[in-house]
Amino acid sequence: EERLSILNPAAEEMILPFEGLTNPEKALYCCRDVALSVQNTRRGSTAYDALILGTADSEGCAMAYQLLCNLCGVDCRVVEGRMDGSIHYWNIISIDREYYHVDCSACIEKPIAEGFLFTDIQMISRYWWDVDKYPACYGSLTVQQVMDVIMARQNAEEEAETDAP
């Protein structure tokens, strides 16, 4: 209970800036925020470990991502499977009735494109999961498309600030 009383307000505060954004933008920012929160990937398998203590394994990252996504209205579930033969956790999200894999732990030391919005085909070479337990991921949205929306929004905001008296 004590950890939840710390975690929930912190998570709710993290997603405040996402109001008014599209679900793809929210999903990307949630992934970014989990990756930025985790400094040590060797231990910790809870959202509290990831977001508050800054130390979490793939399970902790997946749990933190699920919490943030669900708080801001993005349908998200945790996947238990394997990556390169070792037990590993990541997420599946739903955006506009299409499903995608997201591995926040892959984005901790690498660009977000290394773990965001993957299809089953993109995952199959390194990851294994029970395909009967999870929805098939064949969405058409790309990381670049989400980034383009974000850049267009930022440019519009900058122009509005410049035009303001």
Side-chain angles (χ1 to χ4, degrees):
E1 282 185 38
E2 183 181 333
R3 284 183 168 201
L4 284 176
S5 71
I6 296 169
L7 174 63
N8 288 334
E12 288 171 5
E13 187 174 325
M14 288 178 85
I15 65 160
L16 281 176
F18 306 163
E19 189 161 330
L21 300 181
T22 64
N23 279 353
E25 290 173 290
K26 291 175 185 177
L28 184 137
Y29 284 133
C30 287
C31 184
R32 176 204 65 189
D33 287 356
V34 170
L36 290 173
S37 294
V38 176
Q39 307 301 314
N40 178 345
T41 58
R42 297 184 196 270
R43 59 191 163 106
S45 59
T46 68
Y48 181 89
D49 294 322
L51 298 178
I52 304 301
L53 300 180
T55 177
D57 57 18
S58 66
E59 184 176 12
C61 291
M63 299 297 285
Y65 186 68
Q66 180 182 36
L67 173 64
L68 294 179
C69 281
N70 289 343
L71 283 174
C72 66
V74 175
D75 179 45
C76 180
R77 62 193 78 183
V78 174
V79 177
E80 179 181 1
R82 295 190 169 275
M83 182 183 80
D84 296 334
S86 298
I87 294 173
H88 193 75
Y89 296 83
W90 65 95
N91 303 87
I92 290 179
I93 60 172
S94 174
I95 296 176
D96 297 329
R97 296 184 303 276
E98 293 184 324
Y99 293 96
Y100 303 87
H101 296 275
V102 176
D103 185 356
C104 291
S105 64
C107 302
I108 291 171
E109 295 178 4
K110 297 179 181 172
I112 202 155
E114 295 293 318
F116 186 69
L117 293 184
F118 281 12
T119 64
D120 285 351
I121 304 250
Q122 292 169 303
M123 296 284 284
I124 204 76
S125 66
R126 294 188 61 206
Y127 294 79
W128 177 92
W129 63 99
D130 184 345
V131 295
D132 294 329
K133 289 175 66 175
Y134 305 99
C137 298
Y138 291 104
S140 58
L141 190 61
T142 67
V143 176
Q144 188 59 54
Q145 289 170 320
V146 178
M147 295 300 294
D148 289 346
V149 169
I150 290 169
M151 293 303 296
R153 181 184 305 280
Q154 289 174 348
N155 289 339
E157 288 171 0
E158 288 173 7
E159 285 180 22
E161 287 176 10
T162 303
D163 294 341

